[in-house]
Amino acid sequence: MSGNGSYQKNGGSYAAVPGDSNVANADNNTKSKWIKIGLAAAVLAAVGYFGYTSIGSHSTSTSPSALAAQSDDLSVTDDGSLKLFDKQNRYVLEDFDAKPTFSNFLPGVAGFFGKPVWSFYVNRGQGMASFGTQSKEYPILEFNAANKAYQVTPFIGFRSFVRGTRDLMGSSFETEPFSPATSRNLALENEDSTKLPKRIMYVGANEMEVQEFDTVNQLQVQAKYFVLPEEDFSSLVRRATYTNTGSTDLQLSILDGLAKMEPSGGMLDWSLKQMGRTLEGWMGVYHADDGLTMPFYKMSTEPGDSASVKIEKAGHYCLAFVETDGEDAAELLPIVFDTAKVFGQSTSLEHPAGLHASSVSDIVAGPQYGDAKTSSAFAAIESVTLKAGENITIATFYGKAEHVEEVPKIAKLVTQAGYVQSKFERARTLINELTAAVETNTANPLFNGVITQMFLDNSLRGGMPTILGNVDGDTNYDEDDSVKIFHAFSRIHGDLERDYNAFSIQPAYFSQGPGNYRDIAQNRRDDVTFLPKLGAYDVKMFLAYIQADGYEPLTVEAVAYMFEDQEETMALATKLTSDANSAEILKTILIGGAFRPGQLFELVDELQINITDTNEDFLNYVVAEAIDRPMAVYGSGYWADHWDYYLDLIEAYTAIYPDGVESLMFDTELRYFFSTATVKPRSDKYVLTYTFDGTSKHVLQLDSTYFDDDKVAEQEAFKDSSTGLIGIDANWQRTNEGQAFKSSPIAKLFLLGAIKFAMRDAYGMGIEYEGGRPGWNDAMNGLPGMVGSGMPETYEMYLTLEYVRDIVKQFKRPVVVPDELFKMITTVNGALDTLDASGYTDSEEMSFDVPEDLFNYWDIVAAARESYRNDVQYYFSGNETSIPAKTMVTMLDRWIAQTELGMERAMKMASTGDGDDGDTGIAPCYFSFDITKWKKNGGKNSVGLPTVNALAMTVGRFPLFLEGPVRYMKTIQDDKEKMKDMYQRVLTSGLRDEKLNMYFLSASLKGQSYDMGRMMAFSPGWLENQSIWTHMSFKYYLQLLRGQLYEEFFDEMRGGGMMPFMDPDVYGRSLMECSSFMASSAFPDPSMHGRGFLARLSGSTAEFMSMYKLMFLGPEPFFLNDSGDVEMKLVVALPEWLFEDEENAGTRDDDDNLTINFMLFGKIPVTYHKSVDGDLFGVNAKGYLIKMKDGSAVHVDGPSIPTDTAIAIRRVRSVESIDAYF
């Protein structure tokens, strides 16, 4: 390190090797060369405790806010405030620690060939509140729920303690940047803000930064955080920069790092919170060398009290150094890990009492102890002198290594010159590459940014679809077995506010984690829109998850790969390895069971297999030859809405591959998922119990499913004798002969529709919540107990039945179904015959008591459903019945007519609630059924309560819920007048929040029973009780766009209903990021109205991406012409203000036409040229210019692109660009 001081071992302590303190950066004079020089004891003794103290008169006249505005990345508005976004497109939050709290997270994306950490931050302290590996069970900085994180982050998180001296032996100060003691109080109008530091938070797509401008001490401090990309180890990287903003030399002594750092030692979250002091007995700090620069934090063993003891070898490391401009590697800084040396007896960690009584040099030179306590991780700068304008940046890496011997190797890599900056830049470009599929340039840069952020967050919840195997060809998943799809980066949406969810992000290549079924199904809706090579992958996977009983599992896991042929696998292993031993080991891995890419690479590394290709090529060769299998887990209970999202997936596929529908629906075979739970018949779950006040008895539907030990026994047949693991094929239902039973997608959709038709409630209105769980609104958790039903599922069933009928009618092909299902539908149709023969018709005034004829129909059909489920509980017989197309269409027409009758009844039955007398004309959402007559059947439930058979029922009604009209509008979206009417009714109903110009999730729930679910436990305006639930609101807005209510849609958008058009001061977080909900005007505290909670990873991102598709591509970009051939047309819904508005003149082509451009399929630049005035709502392009990569061009005069060119565009590879003219 020419011209720099470095730490060298000297007699058991660390002394400085003198460097040239006068050498400055020759380029820009912004980086200081740091050296060690001792601080005089007299100066140190004169300074008080760390808070915000200063001695001397060197403060500048420039205010902190003015100084902040001079930053290169910031822009200032006319009133002197900072603009909402900086030049890096990061959200700017002034005085972040004085604003209302919020939590957020870094994406946890380290690239396909990287190992991520998870990390959460808040707008308190230095931001970072918690981080670790895999899940909150493996923290490096302990996971705390948001309410606690807001309190403790400034104390247990990252801290900076600074001693400064200006003009040696002159004025001095001690300060802790970002200390809550020096936060501004924005409620004080007369506060002298010039004496308090200015603090700014920057929220980027893959980074977070906090910055403090301290004009009293003339010191600027900033800390940036990012997840280390594309390495075979995981790290959170922190770059803390200290800048001398004064006019004189500044000598600094610094401790910078974590106040509390947890060790590695198994699953710790529960233990940290329940037996934290005892747990410290296992803790220790070890070292990768004989110094202080590579501490290794780990338990001696994994804590426990069993006969099996596991020695802990893995540990957490902290590596810190000063970034330099030269070519030499940086020298590691000593780490202060002994918390007592820094904080002394200040166990609150409020101020560094230990450092106050000592100095950084003394602490580094003295003994430290890390046993039987939670330690710290502070990088130590004993002394550095910064000239005016100079800065010093401390880079620190926090991560996990499997063995202490790995730490020096990591240190050697990360200290290389330029390494940190290159990785920081790569973290930025990585996200740009992953979101390239929606790169969009309109006249509104904030809207462009929202598109990118929504796509990213949608991918984090649903997974980023990635092509593996045959990546170079132009065939898709359906055409080529060597094309494979893997969804990387997905995870369940657990975070500081969703503290109930157990998120998991594997620290492995192609990192991913499991997700909730409904989340994955919704957020993958438009995968094929952005990646046509995916084909029908998502449709096939989710339809395969349909079980014989009409339900689905709770959790979706990443696809796994497997091999079955020994000889072929050995040949492949030999081809991919350099020696016979490696080939044999690789063959054993591949043939040994299902694997994912991350697991494969871990085994290759652990078993030292010598591969002959790059990691990327190796993986593609392997998975190209492998069999792919979807993976899922039952979980708990059967949710009523999981199947609601299939038609969205099918419609998205059809919009790209209209020519593939027949083959997909009739010529594909899919398995049936086999869960270990069984739905009880009514006789076992209708339970007689006391009402909440104990004064009377009523019947509830309880414990609707049970864990079926006999199903578990069936799965035991697939246990591997060598590993003890259940094989992947155990998850798929078989015939009596042991073969996996399969049906076509159209047959599975019919099975689904038939079972749901047989699940209609006793009045034929809603679908019963008889599986123990409600639908989308899971806060209605009590509704299944109330024998409740939902209209949202009825509307989806109606659409499903229509789809099956229309497809069968179009292709005139029979549908082959299991014999067991045919038996059930025969009974259902017979019950309909009986109902028709009874002469029953609905009266004008609907009775709340269920009419006897309808009750009898319900009883027969429900019994048929239960009989069917009993028949297929463990096996299918394997026998099938082919239903002719004409028969199928006739039957479905009848079912659809019956469903329409039920929908009409529901509208008459209507809603009721506070201020709602049932005359709104808005589609209701829920009903309950009170069993008014019953007969004990001799059974008892698990706690001894008697079970009964229902003999009569009466209907219960609920207030309005937004989901009712949202789902209903899907059934009328082709009728613009009906759409307008329903929109106006909702707009003037109790679902409208007039203050916020948004829509409540529900109308007022005042007076409702607590039996309906946990939403009644919440204050109005909070969580699911009459709040603004962004996902359902976005579903509503999407329906406006689908129904071609363009003006209403964009009025709602720009009126504050969607990002980025909300009031930032009200919303309280980045305008590019969705919250799950906002506190509505129903909430008692008006200061909370409109604030966003539960950061990102919401289903609203899926709805937004569907809006994006409709705006820029139209509902059917590919369609079949009259001859049945594929053509392409672009029908847009783009308002004038996206081309130009009052703040942006937009861009123009050579003919002075306004233009917008975006990326089609992530590869093809598309430019829209607008030559007409006004909005482009539902407008076809009038011509196209398609440029090919071979230099040729296709000119199209007309609204549609002909077949050959349309197919070339869909295959992507040969097309250079598209220009469309309007």
Side-chain angles (χ1 to χ4, degrees), residues 1046-1098:
Y1046 300 117
E1047 292 183 0
E1048 292 85 347
F1049 170 78
F1050 287 109
D1051 284 347
E1052 295 284 0
M1053 175 186 280
R1054 297 197 84 186
M1058 280 184 268
M1059 273 60 68
F1061 303 105
M1062 296 176 178
D1063 185 330
D1065 293 328
V1066 173
Y1067 188 52
R1069 61 172 68 239
S1070 172
L1071 293 179
M1072 291 186 185
E1073 298 172 349
C1074 257
S1075 300
S1076 277
F1077 83 94
M1078 285 166 278
S1080 74
S1081 63
F1083 192 69
D1085 182 355
S1087 70
M1088 301 280 276
H1089 296 173
R1091 275 185 57 194
F1093 297 91
L1094 308 187
R1096 303 160 61 187
L1097 301 196
S1098 161

Coordinates of all heavy atoms in Angstrom, one line a residue, residues 1046-1098:
Y1046 N -62.1 3.5 -20.0 CA -60.8 4.1 -20.0 C -60.7 5.4 -19.2 O -59.8 5.6 -18.4 CB -60.3 4.3 -21.4 CG -60.3 3.1 -22.3 CD1 -61.1 2.9 -23.4 CD2 -59.4 2.1 -22.0 CE1 -61.1 1.8 -24.2 CE2 -59.3 0.9 -22.8 CZ -60.2 0.8 -23.9 OH -60.1 -0.3 -24.6
E1047 N -61.7 6.3 -19.4 CA -61.6 7.5 -18.7 C -61.8 7.3 -17.2 O -61.0 8.0 -16.4 CB -62.7 8.4 -19.2 CG -62.5 8.9 -20.7 CD -63.6 9.9 -21.1 OE1 -64.5 10.2 -20.3 OE2 -63.5 10.3 -22.3
E1048 N -62.7 6.4 -16.8 CA -62.8 6.2 -15.4 C -61.5 5.6 -14.8 O -61.1 5.9 -13.7 CB -64.0 5.2 -15.1 CG -65.3 5.8 -15.5 CD -65.7 5.7 -16.9 OE1 -64.8 5.4 -17.8 OE2 -66.9 5.9 -17.2
F1049 N -60.9 4.7 -15.5 CA -59.7 4.0 -15.1 C -58.6 5.1 -14.8 O -58.0 5.1 -13.8 CB -59.2 3.0 -16.1 CG -57.8 2.4 -15.8 CD1 -57.6 1.5 -14.8 CD2 -56.7 2.9 -16.5 CE1 -56.4 1.0 -14.5 CE2 -55.5 2.4 -16.3 CZ -55.3 1.4 -15.3
F1050 N -58.3 5.9 -15.8 CA -57.2 6.9 -15.7 C -57.6 8.0 -14.7 O -56.7 8.6 -14.1 CB -56.8 7.4 -17.1 CG -56.1 6.4 -17.9 CD1 -56.6 5.8 -19.0 CD2 -54.8 6.0 -17.5 CE1 -56.0 4.8 -19.7 CE2 -54.1 5.0 -18.3 CZ -54.7 4.4 -19.4
D1051 N -58.8 8.3 -14.6 CA -59.2 9.3 -13.5 C -58.9 8.7 -12.1 O -58.4 9.4 -11.3 CB -60.7 9.6 -13.6 CG -61.0 10.5 -14.8 OD1 -60.1 11.1 -15.3 OD2 -62.2 10.7 -15.1
E1052 N -59.2 7.4 -12.0 CA -58.9 6.8 -10.7 C -57.4 6.7 -10.4 O -56.9 7.0 -9.3 CB -59.5 5.4 -10.6 CG -61.0 5.3 -10.7 CD -61.6 5.6 -9.3 OE1 -60.9 6.0 -8.4 OE2 -62.9 5.6 -9.2
M1053 N -56.6 6.4 -11.5 CA -55.2 6.4 -11.4 C -54.6 7.7 -10.9 O -53.9 7.8 -9.9 CB -54.6 5.9 -12.7 CG -53.0 5.9 -12.7 SD -52.3 5.5 -14.3 CE -52.4 3.8 -14.3
R1054 N -54.9 8.7 -11.7 CA -54.3 10.1 -11.4 C -55.0 10.8 -10.3 O -54.4 11.8 -9.8 CB -54.4 10.9 -12.7 CG -53.6 10.4 -13.9 CD -53.3 11.4 -14.9 NE -52.1 12.2 -14.6 CZ -51.8 13.3 -15.3 NH1 -52.5 13.7 -16.4 NH2 -50.7 14.0 -15.0
G1055 N -56.1 10.3 -9.9 CA -56.8 10.9 -8.7 C -56.2 10.4 -7.4 O -56.7 10.8 -6.4
G1056 N -55.1 9.6 -7.4 CA -54.5 9.2 -6.2 C -54.7 7.8 -5.8 O -54.2 7.3 -4.8
G1057 N -55.4 7.0 -6.7 CA -55.6 5.6 -6.4 C -54.5 4.7 -6.6 O -54.5 3.6 -6.1
M1058 N -53.5 5.1 -7.5 CA -52.4 4.2 -7.8 C -51.1 5.0 -7.8 O -51.0 6.2 -7.9 CB -52.6 3.6 -9.2 CG -53.6 2.5 -9.2 SD -53.7 1.7 -10.9 CE -55.0 2.7 -11.6
M1059 N -50.0 4.2 -7.6 CA -48.7 4.8 -7.7 C -48.5 5.2 -9.2 O -48.9 4.5 -10.1 CB -47.6 3.7 -7.4 CG -47.3 3.7 -5.9 SD -48.7 3.3 -4.8 CE -49.0 1.6 -5.3
P1060 N -47.7 6.3 -9.4 CA -47.0 7.1 -8.4 C -47.8 8.4 -8.1 O -47.2 9.4 -7.8 CB -45.7 7.5 -9.2 CG -46.2 7.6 -10.6 CD -47.3 6.6 -10.8
F1061 N -49.1 8.4 -8.2 CA -49.9 9.6 -8.1 C -50.5 9.8 -6.7 O -51.4 10.7 -6.6 CB -51.0 9.5 -9.2 CG -50.5 9.3 -10.6 CD1 -50.5 8.1 -11.2 CD2 -49.8 10.4 -11.2 CE1 -50.0 7.9 -12.5 CE2 -49.3 10.2 -12.5 CZ -49.4 8.9 -13.1
M1062 N -50.0 9.2 -5.8 CA -50.5 9.4 -4.4 C -49.7 10.6 -3.8 O -48.6 11.0 -4.3 CB -50.3 8.2 -3.5 CG -51.1 7.0 -4.0 SD -50.7 5.5 -3.0 CE -51.9 4.4 -3.7
D1063 N -50.2 11.1 -2.7 CA -49.5 12.2 -2.0 C -48.4 11.6 -1.2 O -48.6 10.8 -0.3 CB -50.5 12.9 -1.1 CG -49.9 14.1 -0.4 OD1 -48.6 14.1 -0.1 OD2 -50.6 15.1 -0.1
P1064 N -47.1 11.9 -1.5 CA -46.0 11.2 -0.8 C -46.0 11.5 0.7 O -45.6 10.6 1.5 CB -44.8 11.8 -1.5 CG -45.2 13.1 -2.1 CD -46.7 12.9 -2.5
D1065 N -46.4 12.7 1.1 CA -46.4 13.0 2.5 C -47.4 12.2 3.3 O -47.3 11.9 4.4 CB -46.6 14.5 2.7 CG -45.5 15.3 2.2 OD1 -44.3 14.8 2.3 OD2 -45.7 16.5 1.8
V1066 N -48.5 11.9 2.6 CA -49.6 11.0 3.2 C -49.2 9.6 3.1 O -49.3 8.8 4.1 CB -50.9 11.3 2.5 CG1 -52.0 10.3 3.0 CG2 -51.4 12.7 2.6
Y1067 N -48.7 9.1 2.0 CA -48.4 7.7 1.8 C -47.3 7.3 2.7 O -47.2 6.2 3.2 CB -48.1 7.5 0.3 CG -47.9 6.0 -0.1 CD1 -48.9 5.1 0.2 CD2 -46.8 5.6 -0.8 CE1 -48.7 3.7 -0.1 CE2 -46.6 4.3 -1.2 CZ -47.6 3.4 -0.8 OH -47.4 2.0 -1.2
G1068 N -46.2 8.1 2.8 CA -45.2 7.9 3.8 C -44.1 6.9 3.4 O -43.2 6.5 4.2
R1069 N -44.0 6.5 2.1 CA -42.9 5.7 1.6 C -42.8 5.9 0.1 O -43.5 6.8 -0.4 CB -43.2 4.2 1.9 CG -44.5 3.7 1.3 CD -44.6 2.2 1.4 NE -44.9 1.8 2.8 CZ -44.1 1.0 3.5 NH1 -43.0 0.5 2.9 NH2 -44.4 0.6 4.7
S1070 N -41.9 5.2 -0.5 CA -41.6 5.4 -1.9 C -42.9 5.2 -2.7 O -43.6 4.3 -2.6 CB -40.5 4.4 -2.4 OG -40.4 4.5 -3.8
L1071 N -43.1 6.2 -3.6 CA -44.2 6.2 -4.5 C -44.1 5.1 -5.6 O -45.0 4.9 -6.4 CB -44.5 7.5 -5.2 CG -44.9 8.7 -4.2 CD1 -45.0 10.0 -5.0 CD2 -46.2 8.3 -3.5
M1072 N -43.0 4.4 -5.7 CA -42.8 3.4 -6.6 C -43.2 2.0 -6.1 O -43.3 1.0 -6.8 CB -41.4 3.3 -7.2 CG -41.0 4.5 -8.0 SD -39.4 4.3 -8.7 CE -39.2 5.9 -9.5
E1073 N -43.4 1.9 -4.8 CA -43.6 0.7 -4.1 C -45.1 0.6 -3.5 O -45.5 1.4 -2.9 CB -42.6 0.5 -3.0 CG -41.2 0.4 -3.5 CD -40.2 0.4 -2.3 OE1 -40.6 0.6 -1.2 OE2 -39.0 0.2 -2.6
C1074 N -45.7 -0.6 -3.8 CA -47.0 -0.8 -3.3 C -46.9 -1.3 -1.8 O -46.0 -2.0 -1.4 CB -47.7 -1.9 -4.1 SG -48.9 -1.3 -5.2
S1075 N -47.9 -0.8 -1.0 CA -48.1 -1.4 0.3 C -49.3 -2.4 0.2 O -50.1 -2.2 -0.7 CB -48.4 -0.3 1.3 OG -47.4 0.6 1.4
S1076 N -49.4 -3.3 1.1 CA -50.5 -4.2 1.1 C -51.8 -3.4 1.4 O -52.9 -3.7 0.9 CB -50.3 -5.3 2.0 OG -49.6 -6.4 1.4
F1077 N -51.7 -2.5 2.4 CA -52.9 -1.8 2.8 C -52.5 -0.4 3.2 O -51.4 -0.1 3.6 CB -53.8 -2.5 3.8 CG -53.3 -2.3 5.2 CD1 -53.9 -1.2 6.0 CD2 -52.4 -3.1 5.8 CE1 -53.5 -1.1 7.3 CE2 -52.0 -2.9 7.1 CZ -52.6 -1.9 7.9
M1078 N -53.5 0.5 3.2 CA -53.4 1.9 3.7 C -54.5 2.1 4.7 O -55.6 1.6 4.5 CB -53.5 2.9 2.6 CG -52.3 3.0 1.7 SD -52.6 3.9 0.2 CE -53.3 2.6 -0.8
A1079 N -54.1 2.7 5.8 CA -55.1 3.1 6.8 C -56.1 4.0 6.2 O -55.7 5.0 5.6 CB -54.4 3.7 8.0
S1080 N -57.4 3.7 6.3 CA -58.4 4.5 5.6 C -58.9 5.6 6.5 O -58.5 5.7 7.7 CB -59.6 3.6 5.2 OG -60.3 3.2 6.3
S1081 N -59.8 6.4 5.9 CA -60.4 7.5 6.7 C -61.3 7.0 7.8 O -61.8 7.8 8.6 CB -61.1 8.5 5.8 OG -62.2 7.8 5.2
A1082 N -61.6 5.7 7.9 CA -62.4 5.1 8.9 C -61.5 5.0 10.2 O -62.1 4.7 11.3 CB -63.0 3.8 8.5
F1083 N -60.2 5.0 10.1 CA -59.3 4.8 11.2 C -59.5 6.0 12.2 O -59.5 7.2 11.7 CB -57.9 4.7 10.8 CG -57.0 4.2 11.9 CD1 -57.1 2.9 12.3 CD2 -56.0 5.0 12.4 CE1 -56.2 2.4 13.3 CE2 -55.1 4.6 13.4 CZ -55.3 3.2 13.9
P1084 N -59.5 5.8 13.5 CA -59.8 6.9 14.4 C -58.7 8.0 14.4 O -59.1 9.2 14.6 CB -59.7 6.2 15.8 CG -60.1 4.8 15.5 CD -59.5 4.5 14.2
D1085 N -57.5 7.7 14.1 CA -56.4 8.7 14.1 C -56.3 9.3 12.7 O -55.8 8.6 11.8 CB -55.1 8.0 14.6 CG -53.9 9.0 14.7 OD1 -54.1 10.2 14.3 OD2 -52.8 8.6 15.1
P1086 N -56.7 10.5 12.5 CA -56.6 11.1 11.2 C -55.2 11.2 10.6 O -55.0 11.3 9.4 CB -57.3 12.5 11.3 CG -57.2 12.8 12.8 CD -57.2 11.5 13.5
S1087 N -54.2 11.3 11.5 CA -52.8 11.4 11.0 C -52.3 10.2 10.3 O -51.3 10.2 9.6 CB -51.8 11.7 12.2 OG -51.7 10.6 13.0
M1088 N -53.1 9.1 10.4 CA -52.7 7.8 9.8 C -53.4 7.6 8.5 O -53.0 6.7 7.7 CB -53.0 6.6 10.7 CG -52.4 6.7 12.1 SD -50.7 6.1 12.0 CE -51.0 4.3 12.1
H1089 N -54.4 8.4 8.2 CA -55.1 8.2 6.9 C -54.3 8.2 5.7 O -53.6 9.2 5.5 CB -56.3 9.2 6.9 CG -57.3 9.1 7.9 ND1 -58.3 10.0 8.1 CD2 -57.4 8.2 8.9 CE1 -59.0 9.7 9.2 NE2 -58.5 8.6 9.7
G1090 N -54.3 7.2 4.9 CA -53.6 7.2 3.7 C -52.2 6.6 3.8 O -51.5 6.5 2.7
R1091 N -51.7 6.3 5.0 CA -50.3 5.8 5.1 C -50.3 4.3 4.7 O -51.2 3.5 5.0 CB -49.9 5.9 6.6 CG -49.2 7.3 6.9 CD -48.7 7.3 8.3 NE -47.7 6.2 8.5 CZ -47.3 5.9 9.7 NH1 -47.8 6.5 10.8 NH2 -46.4 4.9 9.9
G1092 N -49.2 3.9 4.1 CA -49.0 2.6 3.6 C -48.4 1.7 4.6 O -47.4 2.1 5.3
F1093 N -48.9 0.4 4.7 CA -48.3 -0.6 5.6 C -48.2 -1.9 4.9 O -48.8 -2.2 3.9 CB -49.2 -0.7 6.8 CG -49.4 0.5 7.6 CD1 -50.4 1.4 7.4 CD2 -48.5 0.8 8.6 CE1 -50.5 2.6 8.1 CE2 -48.6 2.0 9.4 CZ -49.6 2.9 9.1
L1094 N -47.3 -2.7 5.4 CA -47.0 -4.0 4.8 C -46.3 -3.9 3.5 O -47.0 -3.9 2.4 CB -48.2 -5.0 4.7 CG -49.0 -5.1 6.0 CD1 -50.1 -6.2 5.7 CD2 -48.2 -5.5 7.2
A1095 N -45.0 -3.8 3.5 CA -44.3 -3.3 2.3 C -44.3 -4.4 1.2 O -44.0 -5.5 1.4 CB -42.8 -3.0 2.7
R1096 N -44.7 -4.0 0.0 CA -44.4 -4.6 -1.3 C -44.9 -6.1 -1.3 O -45.8 -6.5 -0.5 CB -42.9 -4.6 -1.6 CG -42.5 -3.1 -1.7 CD -41.0 -3.0 -1.5 NE -40.2 -3.7 -2.5 CZ -38.9 -3.8 -2.5 NH1 -38.2 -3.2 -1.5 NH2 -38.3 -4.4 -3.5
L1097 N -44.4 -6.9 -2.2 CA -44.8 -8.3 -2.4 C -46.3 -8.5 -2.2 O -46.7 -9.5 -1.6 CB -44.0 -9.2 -1.4 CG -42.4 -9.1 -1.6 CD1 -41.8 -10.2 -0.8 CD2 -42.0 -9.0 -3.0
S1098 N -47.0 -7.7 -2.8 CA -48.5 -7.8 -2.7 C -49.0 -8.3 -4.1 O -48.4 -8.1 -5.1 CB -49.1 -6.4 -2.4 OG -50.5 -6.4 -2.8

